[in-house]
Amino acid sequence: MKPILLSLLNIAAEDKTRLNAHYEIIEIKNLDEASTLSPETLARVTALYGSATKPLSLEFLEALPNLQVISSFGVGYDPYDEDYIRRRQIRLGYTPDVLNDCVADLAMALMLDVARQVSVSDRYVRAGRWLSDGPYPLGVSVTGKRLGILGMGRIGLEIAARAKGFRMQIYYHNRNPRQDLAEDYHYIASPIELAKAVDYLIVATPATAETEKIVNQQVLEALGPQSYLINIARGAVVDEAALVKALQNKTIAGAGLDVFVNEPQVPEALFTLDNVVITPHVASATVETRNAMRELSIQNFLHFAEFGEVKVAVPWAQYGA
């Protein structure tokens, strides 16, 4: 009898064919549906397929006494309890790198949109206001401006590379300065000082206990009424209530947001504001990138079945076997 791979995601037929060599596959829609499975069935679950957008409760994980491996579809791993996963020595794989380009592309798209007011001017034309009200008001330039990147990791580096094409000056903040960057990448010692220094601030930091609400009221005030915030990281890294107020009061010039605290719920106060561009967490949502993410997430299982380790492990879930 093969062990069970319990999946919270739909698995494509061709991927099932590959996985069937190692696992019996059971697909469920949510954790509640898992509670309908018998204890005997849950005891046979050794593999779990999930995503960063589907949090796993400790109660649920406790119901899987023989769980050995999780493959998470996505680059974020904030929903997974580090202490618990490490204590049980569960292998936790994820899908970084393959989505860097698409996320960086969207960061630039949001920055250009909110600065040049692409979305709001589109609405202006569609409402017939170009005819009735005349030319649309001026936007703001991006080329040659100062860009701050909060989190100079894989995605931050791709954002910076694109910004170079716009002849932007690059500033960044990490916990520590990177030694592998060119001299024209300027390290700033705190998020507040970074915000003071730039015209555009792009948030690309992982969501952790340390980065929760790292963009707070003080950072937004430091950014100021001529500058813009772009968030393609996680909603939790920004104080959402403070951001809404900052946009309403023009404390900052505007924002481009792809992520929110309680997705898919978005603060309704944002809907009436023309100084914010909103997208529904689509930074990696291209056919090419999602196919690459799917392939890597499946490879995590296949690699584990053969070698006892996932193809790409979450940094804190590397046990050095």
Side-chain angles (χ1 to χ4, degrees):
M1 186 178 295
K2 288 184 291 188
I4 291 173
L5 187 158
L6 186 62
S7 180
L8 289 160
L9 308 177
N10 293 326
I11 302 178
E14 59 269 28
D15 294 330
K16 287 181 179 178
T17 299
R18 293 190 290 168
L19 291 168
N20 279 334
H22 307 283
Y23 300 102
E24 175 186 336
I25 297 170
I26 296 178
E27 294 180 350
I28 58 174
K29 295 182 176 63
N30 50 54
L31 300 189
D32 289 339
E33 191 171 328
S35 66
T36 65
L37 300 174
S38 70
E40 293 76 18
T41 298
L42 293 174
R44 289 175 53 211
V45 173
T46 64
L48 181 64
Y49 193 15
S51 82
T53 62
K54 294 180 180 292
L56 303 176
S57 68
L58 297 188
E59 180 183 11
F60 170 69
L61 293 175
E62 281 287 289
L64 306 176
N66 296 307
L67 181 65
Q68 299 174 357
V69 59
I70 301 171
S71 184
S72 182
F73 184 93
V75 71
Y77 44 83
D78 45 293
Y80 299 96
D81 187 290
E82 178 178 350
D83 291 338
Y84 184 87
I85 296 293
R86 287 178 59 82
R87 178 167 57 81
R88 285 188 57 181
Q89 296 277 290
I90 296 170
R91 270 47 185 180
L92 175 57
Y94 71 141
T95 62
D97 292 324
V98 294
L99 48 65
N100 296 350
D101 285 327
C102 274
V103 176
D105 287 350
L106 188 73
M108 298 301 294
L110 288 172
M111 180 169 63
L112 288 164
D113 193 328
V114 71
R116 297 301 304 272
Q117 301 181 40
V118 177
S119 293
V120 67
S121 62
D122 174 88
R123 295 194 294 270
Y124 187 87
V125 174
R126 292 172 187 269
R129 295 183 61 189
W130 193 9
L131 288 170
S132 62
D133 299 352
Y136 187 79
L138 301 179
V140 177
S141 177
V142 168
T143 298
K145 294 295 183 69
R146 300 165 300 172
L147 173 64
I149 301 175
L150 185 56
M152 188 64 88
R154 300 179 183 94
I155 293 171
L157 288 171
E158 293 296 341
I159 292 169
R162 286 154 175 74
K164 286 286 188 177
F166 287 88
R167 301 192 298 278
M168 301 186 85
Q169 303 167 56
I170 308 299
Y171 300 79
Y172 75 98
H173 173 74
N174 278 354
R175 283 182 295 180
N176 299 295
R178 295 187 59 145
Q179 304 302 320
D180 57 340
L181 300 182
E183 292 183 357
D184 57 350
Y185 284 62
H186 308 288
Y187 176 74
I188 304 293
S190 75
I192 289 178
E193 293 303 314
L194 179 64
K196 289 179 180 177
V198 301
D199 303 297
Y200 299 92
L201 178 61
I202 297 182
V203 186
T205 187
T208 65
E210 291 75 22
T211 62
E212 184 175 359
K213 295 186 180 179
I214 193 172
V215 178
N216 54 25
Q217 180 180 339
Q218 290 73 30
V219 171
L220 294 169
E221 290 174 351
L223 196 58
Q226 305 301 318
S227 300
Y228 298 82
L229 178 77
I230 310 298
N231 188 11
I232 46 77
R234 283 289 186 267
V237 303
V238 174
D239 185 331
E240 198 165 77
L243 176 59
V244 170
K245 290 182 180 179
L247 290 165
Q248 291 173 326
N249 299 334
K250 305 294 178 66
T251 302
I252 64 174
L257 307 173
D258 185 51
V259 288
F260 304 89
V261 173
N262 295 311
E263 297 175 4
Q265 297 180 40
V266 176
E268 292 186 8
L270 297 177
F271 297 165
T272 60
L273 300 177
D274 282 338
N275 61 342
V276 60
V277 178
I278 302 169
T279 51
H281 203 151
V282 294
S284 67
T286 65
V287 172
E288 298 87 350
T289 293
R290 290 292 171 86
N291 281 340
M293 292 168 65
R294 176 185 57 79
E295 176 60 24
L296 182 50
S297 65
I298 298 301
Q299 284 293 332
N300 278 329
F301 287 122
L302 298 176
H303 198 269
F304 178 82
E306 186 171 356
F307 301 107
E309 299 290 344
V310 293
K311 184 79 171 179
V312 183
V314 165
W316 48 254
Q318 299 176 17
Y319 304 109

